[in-house]
Amino acid sequence: IIGNGTGIVVINSSLIINNTLSDNLQTGIFCSNGIISTTIMNNIISFNGSKGISVASPSVVTLNYNNVWNPGHTNYSGCSPGAWSPWPY
């Protein structure tokens, strides 16, 4: 998913698995508030305009195995990288 305002906007419980999100104007993945039981796993998220993964609270989101690289911007907002995510965070 490339070149959008935001790559993926999550508004319901979801599985976000095996995607490449790059060069979006704002955020690679944005989870709106109140999301429960969403898993974001095994994604490559790079070079987005402001954030790699952003989670509005209160939301319950599990992150694992994501490679997030947003040089000069924020990789994670409102969440932590989760298990087995490569450095840098």
Side-chain angles (χ1 to χ4, degrees):
I1 299 170
I2 190 168
N4 293 301
T6 296
I8 296 174
V9 177
V10 180
I11 58 173
N12 292 309
S13 297
S14 302
L15 296 173
I16 312 294
I17 301 174
N18 297 331
N19 298 284
T20 300
L21 300 105
S22 183
D23 297 297
N24 293 292
L25 295 175
Q26 296 297 318
T27 303
I29 298 174
F30 173 72
C31 296
S32 61
N33 62 352
I35 300 297
I36 35 179
S37 188
T38 289
T39 298
I40 300 172
M41 184 169 70
N42 201 38
N43 296 285
I44 299 169
I45 302 165
S46 62
F47 300 103
N48 294 287
S50 65
K51 298 175 181 117
I53 299 174
S54 180
V55 177
S57 72
S59 292
V60 178
V61 177
T62 301
L63 285 80
N64 288 310
Y65 299 102
N66 295 293
N67 188 351
V68 180
W69 179 245
N70 245 11
H73 299 286
T74 303
N75 289 331
Y76 298 92
S77 175
C79 59
S80 59
W84 305 286
S85 294
W87 194 89
Y89 303 128

Coordinates of all heavy atoms in Angstrom, one line a residue:
I1 N 0.9 -1.2 0.0 CA 0.0 0.0 0.0 C 0.9 1.2 0.0 O 1.7 1.4 0.9 CB -0.9 0.0 1.2 CG1 -1.8 -1.3 1.2 CG2 -1.8 1.2 1.3 CD1 -2.6 -1.5 2.4
I2 N 0.8 2.0 -1.0 CA 1.8 3.1 -1.2 C 1.0 4.4 -1.7 O 0.1 4.3 -2.5 CB 2.9 2.7 -2.2 CG1 4.0 3.6 -2.3 CG2 2.3 2.4 -3.6 CD1 5.2 3.1 -3.0
G3 N 1.5 5.5 -1.2 CA 1.1 6.8 -1.7 C -0.3 7.3 -1.3 O -0.9 8.1 -2.0
N4 N -0.9 6.8 -0.2 CA -2.2 7.2 0.2 C -2.0 8.3 1.3 O -0.9 8.5 1.8 CB -3.0 6.1 0.8 CG -3.4 5.1 -0.3 OD1 -4.1 5.5 -1.3 ND2 -3.0 3.9 -0.2
G5 N -3.1 8.8 1.8 CA -3.0 9.7 3.0 C -2.5 8.9 4.2 O -1.5 9.2 4.8
T6 N -3.3 7.8 4.5 CA -2.9 6.8 5.5 C -3.0 5.5 4.8 O -4.0 5.2 4.1 CB -3.9 6.9 6.7 OG1 -3.7 8.2 7.3 CG2 -3.6 5.8 7.7
G7 N -2.1 4.6 5.1 CA -2.1 3.3 4.4 C -3.3 2.5 4.8 O -4.1 2.1 4.0
I8 N -3.4 2.2 6.1 CA -4.6 1.4 6.6 C -5.2 2.1 7.8 O -4.4 2.4 8.7 CB -4.1 -0.1 7.0 CG1 -3.6 -0.8 5.8 CG2 -5.3 -0.8 7.7 CD1 -3.1 -2.2 6.1
V9 N -6.5 2.3 7.8 CA -7.2 2.8 9.0 C -8.0 1.7 9.5 O -8.9 1.1 8.9 CB -8.1 4.0 8.6 CG1 -8.9 4.5 9.8 CG2 -7.3 5.1 8.0
V10 N -7.8 1.4 10.8 CA -8.5 0.3 11.5 C -9.6 0.9 12.3 O -9.4 1.7 13.2 CB -7.5 -0.5 12.4 CG1 -8.3 -1.7 13.1 CG2 -6.3 -1.1 11.6
I11 N -10.9 0.5 12.0 CA -12.0 1.0 12.8 C -12.8 -0.2 13.5 O -13.6 0.1 14.3 CB -13.0 1.8 11.9 CG1 -13.5 0.9 10.7 CG2 -12.3 3.0 11.4 CD1 -14.6 1.6 9.9
N12 N -12.4 -1.4 13.2 CA -13.0 -2.6 13.9 C -11.9 -3.6 14.2 O -10.8 -3.5 13.7 CB -14.0 -3.3 13.0 CG -15.2 -2.4 12.8 OD1 -15.8 -2.0 13.8 ND2 -15.6 -2.2 11.5
S13 N -12.1 -4.5 15.1 CA -11.2 -5.6 15.4 C -10.7 -6.2 14.0 O -11.5 -6.5 13.2 CB -11.8 -6.6 16.3 OG -12.1 -6.0 17.5
S14 N -9.4 -6.4 13.9 CA -8.8 -6.8 12.6 C -7.6 -7.6 12.8 O -6.9 -7.5 13.8 CB -8.5 -5.6 11.8 OG -9.6 -4.8 11.6
L15 N -7.2 -8.3 11.7 CA -5.9 -8.9 11.6 C -5.2 -8.1 10.4 O -5.7 -8.2 9.3 CB -6.0 -10.4 11.2 CG -6.6 -11.3 12.3 CD1 -6.7 -12.7 11.7 CD2 -5.7 -11.3 13.5
I16 N -4.1 -7.5 10.7 CA -3.3 -6.8 9.7 C -2.0 -7.6 9.6 O -1.1 -7.4 10.4 CB -3.0 -5.3 10.1 CG1 -4.3 -4.6 10.6 CG2 -2.3 -4.6 9.0 CD1 -5.3 -4.4 9.5
I17 N -1.9 -8.4 8.6 CA -0.8 -9.4 8.5 C -0.2 -9.3 7.1 O -0.9 -9.3 6.1 CB -1.2 -10.8 8.8 CG1 -1.8 -10.8 10.3 CG2 -0.1 -11.8 8.7 CD1 -2.4 -12.1 10.7
N18 N 1.2 -9.4 7.0 CA 1.9 -9.5 5.7 C 1.7 -8.4 4.7 O 1.4 -8.7 3.5 CB 1.6 -10.9 5.1 CG 2.0 -12.0 6.0 OD1 3.0 -11.9 6.7 ND2 1.3 -13.2 5.8
N19 N 1.8 -7.2 5.1 CA 1.6 -6.0 4.2 C 2.9 -5.2 4.1 O 3.7 -5.3 5.0 CB 0.5 -5.1 4.7 CG -0.8 -5.8 4.8 OD1 -1.4 -6.0 3.8 ND2 -1.2 -6.2 6.0
T20 N 3.1 -4.5 3.0 CA 4.1 -3.5 2.9 C 3.4 -2.2 2.7 O 2.6 -2.0 1.8 CB 5.0 -3.8 1.7 OG1 5.6 -5.1 1.9 CG2 6.1 -2.7 1.5
L21 N 3.7 -1.2 3.6 CA 3.1 0.1 3.6 C 4.2 1.1 3.5 O 5.1 1.2 4.4 CB 2.3 0.3 4.9 CG 1.1 -0.7 5.0 CD1 1.4 -1.7 6.1 CD2 -0.2 0.1 5.3
S22 N 4.3 1.9 2.5 CA 5.4 2.8 2.3 C 4.9 4.1 1.6 O 4.0 4.1 0.8 CB 6.5 2.1 1.5 OG 7.6 3.0 1.3
D23 N 5.6 5.2 2.0 CA 5.4 6.5 1.3 C 4.0 7.0 1.3 O 3.5 7.6 0.4 CB 5.9 6.4 -0.1 CG 7.4 6.1 -0.2 OD1 8.2 6.9 0.3 OD2 7.8 5.0 -0.7
N24 N 3.3 6.7 2.4 CA 2.0 7.4 2.6 C 2.2 8.7 3.2 O 3.1 9.0 4.0 CB 1.1 6.4 3.5 CG 0.8 5.2 2.8 OD1 0.1 5.1 1.8 ND2 1.4 4.0 3.3
L25 N 1.3 9.7 3.0 CA 1.5 11.0 3.4 C 1.5 11.2 4.9 O 2.2 12.1 5.4 CB 0.4 11.9 2.8 CG 0.4 12.0 1.3 CD1 -0.8 12.9 0.8 CD2 1.7 12.7 0.8
Q26 N 0.7 10.4 5.6 CA 0.6 10.6 7.1 C 1.2 9.4 7.8 O 2.3 9.4 8.2 CB -0.8 10.8 7.5 CG -1.4 12.1 7.0 CD -0.7 13.3 7.6 OE1 -0.3 13.4 8.8 NE2 -0.4 14.3 6.7
T27 N 0.4 8.3 8.0 CA 0.7 7.2 8.8 C 0.5 5.9 8.0 O -0.3 5.8 7.2 CB -0.3 7.2 10.0 OG1 -0.2 8.4 10.7 CG2 0.0 6.0 11.0
G28 N 1.4 4.9 8.3 CA 1.3 3.6 7.7 C 0.0 2.9 8.1 O -0.8 2.5 7.3
I29 N -0.1 2.7 9.5 CA -1.3 2.1 10.0 C -1.8 2.9 11.2 O -1.1 3.3 12.1 CB -1.0 0.6 10.6 CG1 -0.6 -0.3 9.4 CG2 -2.3 0.1 11.2 CD1 -0.1 -1.6 9.9
F30 N -3.1 3.3 11.1 CA -3.7 4.1 12.2 C -4.9 3.3 12.8 O -5.8 2.8 12.1 CB -4.3 5.4 11.7 CG -5.0 6.1 12.8 CD1 -4.4 6.7 13.9 CD2 -6.4 6.2 12.7 CE1 -5.1 7.4 14.9 CE2 -7.2 6.9 13.7 CZ -6.5 7.5 14.7
C31 N -4.9 3.0 14.1 CA -6.0 2.4 14.8 C -6.8 3.4 15.6 O -6.2 4.1 16.5 CB -5.4 1.3 15.8 SG -4.6 0.0 15.0
S32 N -8.0 3.6 15.2 CA -8.9 4.6 15.9 C -9.2 4.1 17.3 O -9.0 2.9 17.7 CB -10.1 4.8 15.1 OG -10.9 3.7 15.0
N33 N -9.7 5.0 18.2 CA -9.9 4.7 19.6 C -11.0 3.7 19.7 O -11.9 3.6 18.9 CB -10.1 5.9 20.4 CG -11.4 6.7 20.0 OD1 -12.0 6.4 19.0 ND2 -11.7 7.7 20.8
G34 N -10.9 2.9 20.8 CA -11.9 1.9 21.1 C -11.8 0.5 20.4 O -12.6 -0.3 20.5
I35 N -10.7 0.3 19.7 CA -10.5 -0.9 19.0 C -10.0 -2.0 20.0 O -9.2 -1.7 20.8 CB -9.3 -0.8 17.9 CG1 -9.7 0.3 16.9 CG2 -9.0 -2.1 17.3 CD1 -10.9 0.0 16.1
I36 N -10.7 -3.1 19.9 CA -10.3 -4.3 20.8 C -9.9 -5.4 19.9 O -10.5 -5.7 18.8 CB -11.3 -4.7 21.8 CG1 -12.7 -4.5 21.2 CG2 -11.2 -4.0 23.1 CD1 -13.8 -4.9 22.2
S37 N -8.9 -6.2 20.3 CA -8.5 -7.4 19.7 C -8.1 -7.3 18.2 O -8.5 -7.9 17.3 CB -9.7 -8.4 19.7 OG -9.3 -9.7 19.3
T38 N -7.2 -6.3 18.0 CA -6.5 -6.2 16.7 C -5.1 -6.7 16.8 O -4.4 -6.4 17.7 CB -6.6 -4.7 16.2 OG1 -7.9 -4.4 15.9 CG2 -5.7 -4.5 15.0
T39 N -4.7 -7.4 15.8 CA -3.3 -7.9 15.7 C -2.6 -7.3 14.5 O -3.2 -7.4 13.4 CB -3.2 -9.4 15.7 OG1 -3.8 -9.9 16.9 CG2 -1.8 -9.9 15.5
I40 N -1.5 -6.7 14.6 CA -0.7 -6.2 13.5 C 0.6 -7.0 13.6 O 1.4 -6.9 14.5 CB -0.4 -4.7 13.7 CG1 -1.8 -3.9 13.8 CG2 0.5 -4.1 12.6 CD1 -1.7 -2.4 14.1
M41 N 0.9 -7.7 12.5 CA 2.0 -8.7 12.5 C 2.6 -8.9 11.2 O 1.9 -8.9 10.1 CB 1.5 -10.0 13.0 CG 2.5 -11.1 13.2 SD 1.9 -12.5 14.1 CE 0.8 -13.3 12.9
N42 N 3.9 -9.0 11.2 CA 4.7 -9.3 10.0 C 4.5 -8.3 8.8 O 4.3 -8.7 7.7 CB 4.4 -10.7 9.6 CG 5.5 -11.3 8.7 OD1 6.7 -11.1 9.0 ND2 5.2 -12.1 7.7
N43 N 4.6 -7.0 9.2 CA 4.4 -6.0 8.2 C 5.7 -5.2 8.0 O 6.5 -5.1 8.9 CB 3.3 -5.0 8.6 CG 2.0 -5.7 8.7 OD1 1.4 -6.0 7.7 ND2 1.5 -6.0 9.9
I44 N 5.9 -4.7 6.8 CA 7.0 -3.8 6.5 C 6.4 -2.4 6.4 O 5.5 -2.2 5.5 CB 7.8 -4.2 5.3 CG1 8.4 -5.6 5.4 CG2 8.9 -3.1 5.0 CD1 9.0 -6.1 4.1
I45 N 6.8 -1.5 7.2 CA 6.2 -0.1 7.2 C 7.3 0.9 7.2 O 8.1 1.0 8.1 CB 5.3 0.1 8.5 CG1 4.3 -1.0 8.6 CG2 4.7 1.4 8.6 CD1 3.6 -1.2 9.9
S46 N 7.4 1.7 6.1 CA 8.6 2.5 6.0 C 8.2 3.8 5.2 O 7.3 3.9 4.4 CB 9.7 1.8 5.2 OG 9.2 1.5 3.9
F47 N 9.0 4.9 5.6 CA 9.0 6.1 4.9 C 7.6 6.8 4.8 O 7.3 7.4 3.7 CB 9.6 6.0 3.5 CG 11.0 5.5 3.5 CD1 11.4 4.2 3.2 CD2 12.1 6.4 3.9 CE1 12.7 3.8 3.3 CE2 13.4 5.9 4.0 CZ 13.7 4.6 3.7
N48 N 6.8 6.7 5.8 CA 5.5 7.4 5.9 C 5.7 8.8 6.4 O 6.7 9.1 7.1 CB 4.5 6.6 6.7 CG 4.2 5.3 6.0 OD1 3.5 5.2 5.0 ND2 4.8 4.2 6.5
G49 N 4.8 9.7 6.1 CA 5.0 11.1 6.4 C 5.2 11.5 7.8 O 5.9 12.4 8.2
S50 N 4.5 10.8 8.8 CA 4.6 11.2 10.2 C 4.8 10.1 11.1 O 5.6 10.2 12.0 CB 3.4 12.1 10.6 OG 2.2 11.3 10.6
K51 N 4.1 9.0 10.9 CA 4.1 7.9 11.9 C 4.1 6.5 11.1 O 3.4 6.4 10.1 CB 3.0 7.9 12.9 CG 3.0 9.1 13.7 CD 1.8 9.2 14.6 CE 1.8 10.5 15.4 NZ 0.7 11.4 15.2
G52 N 4.8 5.5 11.7 CA 4.7 4.2 11.2 C 3.4 3.5 11.6 O 2.5 3.2 10.8
I53 N 3.2 3.3 12.9 CA 2.0 2.7 13.5 C 1.5 3.7 14.6 O 2.3 4.0 15.5 CB 2.2 1.3 14.1 CG1 2.7 0.3 13.0 CG2 0.9 0.8 14.7 CD1 3.1 -1.0 13.5
S54 N 0.3 4.1 14.5 CA -0.3 5.0 15.5 C -1.6 4.3 16.1 O -2.4 3.9 15.3 CB -0.6 6.3 14.9 OG -1.2 7.2 15.8
V55 N -1.7 4.3 17.4 CA -2.8 3.7 18.1 C -3.4 4.7 19.0 O -2.7 5.2 19.9 CB -2.4 2.4 18.9 CG1 -3.6 1.8 19.6 CG2 -1.8 1.4 18.0
A56 N -4.7 5.1 18.8 CA -5.4 6.0 19.6 C -5.9 5.2 20.8 O -6.3 4.1 20.7 CB -6.5 6.7 18.9
S57 N -5.8 5.8 22.0 CA -6.3 5.1 23.2 C -7.8 5.5 23.5 O -8.2 6.6 23.1 CB -5.4 5.4 24.4 OG -5.6 6.7 24.8
P58 N -8.5 4.7 24.1 CA -8.1 3.3 24.6 C -8.3 2.3 23.4 O -9.4 2.2 22.9 CB -9.1 3.0 25.7 CG -10.3 3.8 25.4 CD -9.9 5.0 24.6
S59 N -7.3 1.6 23.1 CA -7.4 0.5 22.2 C -6.5 -0.7 22.6 O -5.6 -0.5 23.3 CB -7.0 0.9 20.8 OG -7.9 1.9 20.2
V60 N -6.9 -1.9 22.3 CA -6.1 -3.1 22.6 C -5.6 -3.6 21.3 O -6.3 -4.2 20.5 CB -6.9 -4.1 23.3 CG1 -6.1 -5.3 23.6 CG2 -7.5 -3.5 24.6
V61 N -4.3 -3.4 21.1 CA -3.6 -3.8 19.8 C -2.4 -4.6 20.1 O -1.6 -4.2 21.0 CB -3.3 -2.6 19.0 CG1 -2.6 -3.0 17.7 CG2 -4.5 -1.8 18.6
T62 N -2.2 -5.8 19.5 CA -1.0 -6.6 19.7 C -0.1 -6.4 18.4 O -0.6 -6.6 17.3 CB -1.4 -8.1 19.8 OG1 -2.3 -8.2 21.0 CG2 -0.2 -8.9 20.1
L63 N 1.1 -6.1 18.7 CA 2.1 -5.9 17.6 C 3.2 -7.0 17.7 O 3.7 -7.1 18.8 CB 2.7 -4.5 17.6 CG 1.8 -3.4 17.1 CD1 0.9 -3.0 18.2 CD2 2.7 -2.2 16.7
N64 N 3.5 -7.7 16.6 CA 4.6 -8.6 16.6 C 5.2 -8.7 15.2 O 4.5 -8.6 14.2 CB 4.1 -10.0 17.0 CG 3.8 -10.1 18.5 OD1 4.6 -9.8 19.3 ND2 2.6 -10.6 18.8
Y65 N 6.5 -8.9 15.2 CA 7.3 -9.2 13.9 C 7.1 -8.1 12.9 O 7.2 -8.3 11.7 CB 6.8 -10.5 13.3 CG 7.1 -11.7 14.1 CD1 6.0 -12.3 14.8 CD2 8.3 -12.3 14.2 CE1 6.2 -13.4 15.6 CE2 8.5 -13.4 15.0 CZ 7.5 -14.0 15.7 OH 7.7 -15.1 16.4
N66 N 6.9 -6.8 13.3 CA 6.8 -5.7 12.3 C 8.2 -5.1 12.1 O 8.9 -4.9 13.1 CB 5.8 -4.7 12.8 CG 4.4 -5.3 12.8 OD1 3.8 -5.6 11.8 ND2 3.9 -5.5 14.0
N67 N 8.5 -4.7 10.9 CA 9.7 -3.9 10.6 C 9.3 -2.5 10.3 O 8.7 -2.3 9.2 CB 10.5 -4.6 9.5 CG 11.8 -3.9 9.2 OD1 12.2 -2.9 9.8 ND2 12.6 -4.6 8.4
V68 N 9.4 -1.6 11.2 CA 9.0 -0.2 11.0 C 10.2 0.7 10.9 O 11.0 0.7 11.9 CB 8.1 0.2 12.2 CG1 7.6 1.7 12.0 CG2 6.9 -0.7 12.3
W69 N 10.3 1.4 9.9 CA 11.5 2.3 9.6 C 10.9 3.6 9.0 O 10.6 3.7 7.9 CB 12.5 1.6 8.7 CG 13.7 2.5 8.4 CD1 14.0 2.9 7.2 CD2 14.7 2.9 9.3 NE1 15.2 3.6 7.2 CE2 15.6 3.7 8.5 CE3 14.9 2.8 10.7 CZ2 16.7 4.2 9.1 CZ3 16.0 3.4 11.2 CH2 16.9 4.1 10.4
N70 N 10.9 4.7 9.8 CA 10.4 6.0 9.4 C 11.5 7.0 9.7 O 11.3 7.8 10.7 CB 9.1 6.3 10.2 CG 7.9 6.4 9.3 OD1 8.0 6.0 8.2 ND2 6.9 6.8 9.9
P71 N 12.6 7.1 9.0 CA 13.6 8.0 9.3 C 13.2 9.5 9.4 O 12.4 9.9 8.6 CB 14.7 7.8 8.2 CG 14.1 6.9 7.3 CD 12.8 6.4 7.8
G72 N 13.5 10.1 10.5 CA 13.1 11.5 10.7 C 11.7 11.7 11.3 O 11.3 12.8 11.5
H73 N 11.0 10.6 11.5 CA 9.6 10.7 12.0 C 9.4 9.7 13.1 O 10.4 9.0 13.5 CB 8.6 10.4 10.8 CG 8.7 11.4 9.7 ND1 8.3 12.7 9.8 CD2 9.3 11.4 8.5 CE1 8.5 13.4 8.7 NE2 9.1 12.6 7.9
T74 N 8.2 9.5 13.5 CA 7.9 8.6 14.6 C 7.6 7.2 14.1 O 6.8 7.0 13.2 CB 6.7 9.1 15.4 OG1 7.0 10.4 15.8 CG2 6.4 8.2 16.6
N75 N 8.3 6.2 14.7 CA 8.0 4.8 14.3 C 6.7 4.3 14.9 O 5.8 3.7 14.3 CB 9.1 3.9 14.6 CG 10.3 4.1 13.8 OD1 10.2 4.5 12.6 ND2 11.5 3.8 14.3
Y76 N 6.5 4.5 16.2 CA 5.4 4.0 17.0 C 4.8 5.1 17.8 O 5.5 5.8 18.5 CB 5.8 2.9 17.9 CG 6.3 1.6 17.2 CD1 7.7 1.5 17.0 CD2 5.5 0.6 16.8 CE1 8.2 0.4 16.3 CE2 6.0 -0.5 16.1 CZ 7.3 -0.6 15.9 OH 7.8 -1.7 15.2
S77 N 3.5 5.3 17.8 CA 2.8 6.3 18.6 C 1.6 5.6 19.3 O 0.8 5.0 18.6 CB 2.3 7.4 17.7 OG 1.6 8.4 18.4
G78 N 1.6 5.7 20.6 CA 0.5 5.1 21.4 C 0.6 3.6 21.5 O -0.3 3.0 22.0
C79 N 1.8 3.1 21.2 CA 2.0 1.6 21.3 C 3.5 1.4 21.3 O 4.3 2.3 21.1 CB 1.4 0.9 20.1 SG 2.0 1.5 18.5
S80 N 3.9 0.1 21.6 CA 5.3 -0.3 21.6 C 5.5 -1.3 20.5 O 4.5 -1.9 20.1 CB 5.7 -0.8 23.0 OG 4.9 -1.9 23.3
P81 N 6.7 -1.5 20.1 CA 7.0 -2.4 19.0 C 6.5 -3.8 19.1 O 6.1 -4.4 18.1 CB 8.5 -2.4 18.9 CG 8.9 -1.2 19.6 CD 7.9 -0.9 20.7
G82 N 6.4 -4.4 20.3 CA 6.0 -5.7 20.5 C 7.1 -6.7 20.3 O 8.3 -6.3 20.0
A83 N 6.9 -7.9 20.5 CA 7.9 -9.0 20.4 C 8.4 -9.2 19.0 O 7.7 -9.0 18.1 CB 7.3 -10.3 21.0
W84 N 9.7 -9.5 19.0 CA 10.4 -9.9 17.8 C 10.3 -8.8 16.6 O 10.4 -9.2 15.5 CB 9.8 -11.2 17.3 CG 9.9 -12.3 18.3 CD1 11.1 -12.9 18.7 CD2 8.9 -12.8 19.1 NE1 10.8 -13.8 19.7 CE2 9.4 -13.7 20.0 CE3 7.5 -12.5 19.2 CZ2 8.7 -14.4 20.9 CZ3 6.8 -13.2 20.1 CH2 7.3 -14.2 20.9
S85 N 10.2 -7.6 17.0 CA 10.3 -6.5 16.0 C 11.8 -6.0 16.0 O 12.4 -5.8 17.0 CB 9.4 -5.3 16.4 OG 8.1 -5.8 16.3
P86 N 12.4 -5.9 14.8 CA 13.8 -5.5 14.7 C 14.0 -4.1 15.2 O 13.1 -3.2 15.1 CB 14.1 -5.7 13.3 CG 12.8 -5.6 12.6 CD 11.8 -6.1 13.5
W87 N 15.2 -3.8 15.6 CA 15.6 -2.5 16.0 C 15.9 -1.7 14.7 O 16.3 -2.3 13.7 CB 16.9 -2.6 16.9 CG 17.2 -1.3 17.5 CD1 16.8 -0.9 18.8 CD2 18.0 -0.3 17.1 NE1 17.3 0.3 19.1 CE2 18.0 0.7 18.0 CE3 18.7 -0.1 15.9 CZ2 18.7 1.9 17.9 CZ3 19.4 1.1 15.8 CH2 19.4 2.1 16.8
P88 N 15.7 -0.4 14.6 CA 15.5 0.5 15.7 C 14.0 0.7 15.9 O 13.1 0.5 15.0 CB 16.1 1.8 15.1 CG 15.9 1.7 13.6 CD 16.0 0.2 13.3
Y89 N 13.6 1.1 17.1 CA 12.3 1.3 17.5 C 12.0 2.8 17.3 O 11.0 3.3 17.4 CB 12.0 0.9 18.9 CG 12.3 -0.6 19.1 CD1 13.1 -1.0 20.1 CD2 11.8 -1.6 18.2 CE1 13.4 -2.3 20.3 CE2 12.1 -2.9 18.4 CZ 12.9 -3.3 19.4 OH 13.2 -4.6 19.6

